[in-house]
Amino acid sequence: MGIFLSTPKTQKFSEDGENDRVRYGLSSTQGWPATMEDAAKRVERGNQSSSGSHSKPNHAFSIKEATVHDLQLAFERCQLTSRQLVEFYLGEIHRLNPLLRGVIEVNPDALYQADNADRERKAKAPGSLGGLHGIPVLLKDNIATKDKMSTTAGSLALLGSVVPRDAGVVTKLRKAGAIILGKASLSEWAHFRDNRAPSGWCARSGQGKNPYNLSADPCGSSSGSAISVAANMAAVSLGTETDGSILCPSSNNAIVGIKPTVGLTSRAGVIPITPRQDTVGPMCRTVADAVHVLDAIAGLDYNDKATIEASKYIPGGGYKQFLKPYGLKGKRLGLLRNIFFHFDNGSIFAEAFERHFSTLRQGGAVLVENLDESKFLAAYSSNTDFESVAMNAEFKLALNSYLKELVVSPVRSLKDIIAFNKKFSDLENTKEYGQQLFLDAEATNGIGKKEKEALLHLAKMSRDGLEKLMSENKLDVLLSPFSSASSVLAKGGYPGIIVPAGHDTEGVPFGICFAGLKGSEPTLIEIAYAFEQATRIRRPPPFTP
């Protein structure tokens, strides 16, 4: 990394990415490959199996759009190996990523892990015949891995840093036998550097592209996780959300995203914005896949105290038991038409959601529309952005704490990162995209009177808003289009699941979100799965590079 930082002019991003050593870097310990092709070759050279087998999967099995269940069945029937699966995804990354830029780096140990999974499956080792065993997972680049990969939040400032340990969710994935395929791109610093920066952009990988419409917003900040899964560059992925960062990119890329109750999944080892709102969740092509991942990553982690309290919400037997095709029956769904579903008559959105409301009713759900919308709006109305007031101070404290725990790091504080962005403004696009959120956060001085008042207001908003709406009307979920309700869920630490709902006139996907109170994931899964099975809207992107 020292070589890179000392010669920024020679490493400046090229327009087409062909000679960009940073964009497709594999490992800070192995030097920079010039292109993704070099990266793929390096992985291949370093991870040849002892058998040397590179046979293609059985012609009867198609990997594209395959679910976790499909893949496990193919393993069982000897139609596919984990090595073949990883090779397929590495090939798709090599083919598609120079355009889509959904992946920052691939794991040089991915094929080694795949060979190990194949050996365990052949030996019928405990835990090797199902779940996520042998399944490649792509991680958002703010989720730490103690391996040959970097964890940088998409920023050049953290290149060369060394984390003390795997993130809590990564530890759980490894225990489940999953293969860590690589790191997904993201809106840099989880889109908390400056609001001027476009969704999906980071210095390490450039601008991520929506595979359904290359000029459309991929949304963020978990943009790369969504892009990669949507375009079949990975089986499943993990994203993070503080306010909309799983739900929005999932909506825009026709995938399923689960924003769990805060604390249901560990945030330890995740580059933070605010522990009060941050959560880690699955981003997958189907509800069932997302639930498989949630089962693997949810649970207690003593490095994240919030998991101690939230673990009480995890049902015995896990979440797969709630994948019920008749899960809509008897459910009460709150519909705030004038707040969330106010579309022009005859518009593609109006027609699509009316069809979906009919589908929900036909499945046995009750859509509750006679709700006090003005009361709900009043609960969240304020002249002050209390979320930002609290978040600025929380971000500085949480980030500085994360940076100080790193074993090695070129930066040790938010102040250091601000200075880095000024010094290397040509690489970080600082003049164009700014860093105002960083500057606002750096100007804070802990949790003072103003911040404490903001926190009290946020708690009151949640009590008087969603909690009262749900309890007074005996609702199971609140419906919303796209990620429109993300701020409501963020303020209260509530969960939501988004499922593909259609495509607009430009071919850009959009989703429908099912939201609930803390710990309501079982109910949300029942509803989301039943809706998905009744509609089956997701389709792979049509483009070819």
Side-chain angles (χ1 to χ4, degrees):
M1 295 310 99
I3 296 173
F4 165 70
L5 292 181
S6 66
T7 56
K9 297 293 184 183
T10 64
Q11 304 291 342
K12 193 164 184 175
F13 297 117
S14 59
E15 285 298 314
D16 61 6
E18 282 298 312
N19 298 309
D20 184 349
R21 291 180 176 275
V22 175
R23 181 165 288 136
Y24 301 128
L26 268 180
S27 167
S28 62
T29 62
Q30 296 181 342
W32 295 106
T35 65
M36 183 55 81
E37 184 176 7
D38 292 342
K41 287 177 180 176
R42 172 175 291 171
V43 172
E44 192 66 16
R45 284 198 306 268
N47 296 279
Q48 296 289 339
S49 70
S50 56
S51 65
S53 172
H54 295 278
S55 59
K56 293 182 179 180
N58 187 306
H59 63 84
F61 182 76
S62 174
I63 295 175
K64 281 190 178 180
E65 294 294 294
T67 65
V68 170
H69 174 73
D70 294 335
L71 296 172
Q72 290 295 351
L73 202 59
F75 291 154
E76 183 184 332
R77 293 173 175 174
C78 299
Q79 294 175 308
L80 182 70
T81 65
S82 290
R83 167 171 272 273
Q84 291 166 340
L85 186 58
V86 169
E87 286 175 339
F88 171 83
Y89 289 128
L90 290 176
E92 290 301 278
I93 291 168
H94 170 52
R95 187 172 72 91
L96 302 176
N97 201 59
L99 177 64
L100 297 179
R101 300 179 187 178
V103 180
I104 283 184
E105 58 183 295
V106 294
N107 185 0
D109 291 329
L111 287 171
Y112 169 81
Q113 291 178 19
D115 289 339
N116 191 51
D118 289 334
R119 283 192 295 271
E120 289 178 348
R121 192 181 307 110
K122 189 174 182 179
K124 296 183 180 179
S128 66
L129 304 176
L132 292 185
H133 186 274
I135 303 295
V137 181
L138 194 66
L139 307 175
K140 186 176 179 180
D141 184 43
N142 60 348
I143 300 174
T145 53
K146 182 72 169 174
D147 53 18
K148 295 171 185 174
M149 293 189 291
S150 299
T151 304
T152 67
S155 170
L156 300 173
L158 279 177
L159 277 175
S161 63
V162 177
V163 300
R165 65 190 72 85
D166 279 337
V169 289
V170 175
T171 299
K172 290 183 183 295
L173 286 172
R174 294 195 200 276
K175 185 177 179 182
I179 297 163
I180 307 303
L181 181 66
K183 295 292 182 74
S185 62
L186 69 164
S187 308
E188 190 173 297
W189 293 108
H191 220 167
F192 203 74
R193 196 182 95 176
D194 195 295
N195 290 326
R196 284 180 286 169
S199 287
W201 180 88
C202 68
R204 285 196 65 199
S205 57
Q207 180 61 55
K209 301 284 188 178
N210 187 316
Y212 291 87
N213 182 328
L214 296 176
S215 62
D217 182 10
C219 207
S221 64
S222 305
S223 49
S225 300
I227 291 166
S228 302
V229 165
N232 283 273
M233 292 194 291
V236 296
S237 69
L238 287 191
T240 67
E241 175 153 333
T242 305
D243 188 338
S245 289
I246 289 174
L247 298 177
C248 187
S250 296
S251 178
N252 285 23
N253 291 274
I255 65 168
V256 174
I258 299 182
K259 173 205 182 288
T261 299
V262 169
L264 194 74
T265 56
S266 171
R267 290 84 46 80
V270 176
I271 298 174
I273 293 181
T274 164
R276 183 176 46 81
Q277 293 182 194
D278 292 347
T279 187
V280 181
M283 300 176 72
C284 307
R285 287 183 290 270
T286 68
V287 175
D289 282 0
V291 169
H292 276 292
V293 176
L294 184 63
D295 270 333
I297 65 173
L300 190 64
D301 178 5
Y302 287 108
N303 289 319
D304 181 356
K305 292 179 182 178
T307 64
I308 299 172
E309 172 67 17
S311 62
K312 69 184 181 186
Y313 296 126
I314 301 173
Y319 291 102
K320 287 189 285 292
Q321 62 188 300
F322 301 104
L323 295 170
K324 301 175 180 178
Y326 305 106
L328 286 167
K329 192 172 182 180
K331 299 297 193 301
R332 290 173 60 82
L333 317 181
L335 176 54
L336 296 169
R337 265 188 196 273
N338 294 322
I339 296 176
F340 293 125
F341 292 94
H342 187 65
F343 304 114
D344 293 337
N345 288 333
S347 73
I348 195 167
F349 299 121
E351 291 179 356
F353 285 111
E354 285 305 321
R355 285 196 306 273
H356 296 329
F357 297 155
S358 295
T359 298
L360 293 167
R361 290 188 182 101
Q362 289 166 10
V366 177
L367 270 62
V368 183
E369 296 193 57
N370 187 25
L371 301 170
D372 192 337
E373 296 192 354
S374 60
K375 184 178 177 182
F376 180 80
L377 279 176
Y380 293 99
S381 296
S382 173
N383 293 324
T384 303
D385 184 354
F386 292 117
E387 187 178 8
S388 292
V389 170
M391 204 180 295
N392 284 339
E394 291 166 333
F395 173 68
K396 180 181 177 181
L397 293 171
L399 182 63
N400 285 349
S401 177
Y402 173 89
L403 294 172
K404 285 173 183 174
E405 286 187 4
L406 294 175
V407 178
V408 176
S409 180
V411 290
R412 289 292 183 182
S413 67
L414 176 57
K415 186 177 180 180
D416 290 347
I417 296 167
I418 291 170
F420 178 95
N421 290 341
K422 287 180 180 178
K423 184 174 182 180
F424 299 104
S425 60
D426 57 337
L427 293 171
E428 284 287 349
N429 280 15
T430 312
K431 289 179 182 177
E432 183 180 0
Y433 296 151
Q435 54 177 335
Q436 191 58 50
L437 294 176
F438 276 8
L439 295 171
D440 291 345
E442 180 59 27
T444 63
N445 188 28
I447 305 299
K449 182 180 178 182
K450 181 174 68 171
E451 289 78 17
K452 288 176 181 176
E453 288 178 355
L455 291 170
L456 290 173
H457 279 288
L458 289 171
K460 187 176 188 300
M461 286 177 172
S462 295
R463 285 195 308 272
D464 294 346
L466 187 62
E467 289 180 18
K468 276 192 177 179
L469 180 78
M470 300 288 282
S471 62
E472 290 177 357
N473 297 281
K474 296 181 172 59
L475 301 179
D476 291 297
V477 306
L478 176 67
L479 297 173
S480 69
F482 328 129
S483 57
S484 302
S486 67
S487 288
V488 170
L489 304 186
K491 289 178 175 71
Y494 307 126
I497 302 181
I498 198 155
V499 180
H503 301 76
D504 69 14
T505 54
E506 302 297 321
V508 181
F510 58 89
I512 184 169
C513 183
F514 306 98
L517 299 180
K518 290 181 179 181
S520 63
E521 281 84 355
T523 300
L524 300 185
I525 289 166
E526 287 183 334
I527 294 169
Y529 182 72
F531 173 82
E532 176 197 49
Q533 296 304 298
T535 55
R536 296 183 179 271
I537 287 165
R538 174 178 162 77
R539 61 175 186 255
F543 90 102
T544 53

